[in-house]
Amino acid sequence: MRPSTGVISSHTLEPIGTPALVVEFSTAIIFGVGQFMLAYQPEAGEAFRSRLFPISISPQQIVFDHVPSPSWLPGEKIDMLGPIGNTFSPPATARNWHLISLGQHPERLLPLLNLASAQSASVAFWSATTLAGLPANVERPVAAEDVINWADFIAIELAGSEWPDGHRVLREELMHKSNASIQVLVDVPTPCGFGACQTCAMPQRGGWILTCQMGLVRQFEEFRD
């Protein structure tokens, strides 16, 4: 796990209206969608590192999904560990992408829009939480199930390792879909980042895994009964 030091350049608002953290790095950080960093502000006196997901990525400036504390002010240095975990990996041939947020963090899927553009893919985005500022060329289906048959790549943000009860119909449709790559970003706690504390243990098909070691992005097949 690579250590690095960043400097907070500013606070901004993420698309769901909450504060986000803009961090500058002196060297390029290679980040994949679905990975995160563990950050520590030495002057804040906090006991634990904060987990930060990117919502906008460039080599030396990254916008992260929240501001961990009011004490994290512009100009302050922060110690970072990471990137940690695995990434979404859309097939190179996929041209119809459906992004689905069933949790509280649709912004964590936003970096996929740049990947879709690079692959000349069309995108639909459905979110349980209001998400503002999407590009005009991104379709906003009324229900998450509306464009399932159309999609050949599906990326899902899930709160915890359990499928939400209100989306059982979606799950059934996904279970019967064989002509798409379906990947899920599972939001489970990862306090240490190494798998040592085992807080990140998650059940999946065939047993338990430590998501700090295996990554938070899982194949949908691993959730099937």
Side-chain angles (χ1 to χ4, degrees):
M1 188 182 304
R2 186 162 67 98
S4 58
T5 300
V7 176
I8 301 170
S9 62
S10 65
H11 296 171
T12 186
L13 288 180
E14 59 177 290
I16 60 172
T18 56
L21 192 71
V22 184
V23 180
E24 303 277 354
F25 295 90
S26 58
T27 58
I29 304 293
I30 306 302
F31 228 120
V33 186
Q35 293 182 311
F36 61 93
M37 296 190 88
L38 291 176
Y40 178 73
Q41 214 278 30
E43 303 303 320
E46 294 158 344
F48 300 101
R49 290 181 176 268
S50 296
R51 186 173 67 176
L52 300 175
F53 285 85
I55 60 176
S56 177
I57 304 170
S58 60
Q60 290 179 253
Q61 183 187 80
I62 299 176
V63 181
F64 290 103
D65 60 343
H66 69 286
V67 179
S69 165
S71 64
W72 290 47
L73 298 173
E76 297 286 347
K77 291 184 178 181
I78 50 176
D79 294 331
M80 313 283 278
L81 291 177
I84 299 170
N86 57 345
T87 70
F88 284 104
S89 52
T93 56
R95 292 295 178 266
N96 300 321
W97 295 17
H98 188 16
L99 313 184
I100 304 172
S101 171
L102 302 179
Q104 301 299 313
H105 297 285
E107 71 281 358
R108 294 176 182 174
L109 298 177
L110 289 177
L112 285 170
L113 297 181
N114 288 335
L115 292 181
S117 178
Q119 291 191 200
S120 300
S122 300
V123 179
F125 201 131
W126 185 91
S127 171
T129 303
T130 301
L131 184 65
L134 287 178
N137 63 345
V138 175
E139 182 181 350
R140 298 296 301 267
V142 175
E145 300 86 4
D146 287 351
V147 295
I148 291 297
N149 292 333
W150 164 83
D152 54 10
F153 170 67
I154 300 173
I156 302 170
E157 181 258 331
L158 190 66
S161 59
E162 297 295 327
W163 198 264
D165 289 336
H167 294 281
R168 294 292 174 180
V169 172
L170 172 63
R171 185 175 184 274
E172 289 300 315
E173 292 198 18
L174 293 172
M175 287 180 66
H176 292 93
K177 187 172 177 60
S178 59
N179 61 339
S181 172
I182 308 174
Q183 299 167 11
V184 185
L185 174 61
V186 184
D187 189 6
V188 297
T190 53
C192 76
F194 299 92
C197 69
Q198 300 193 10
T199 303
C200 67
M202 185 186 84
Q204 72 168 36
R205 206 176 193 186
W208 289 75
I209 63 167
L210 296 177
T211 54
C212 275
Q213 297 175 353
M214 302 297 291
L216 297 177
V217 179
R218 317 305 307 154
Q219 297 296 322
F220 176 73
E221 287 78 6
E222 296 166 353
F223 292 88
R224 298 190 184 198
D225 294 335

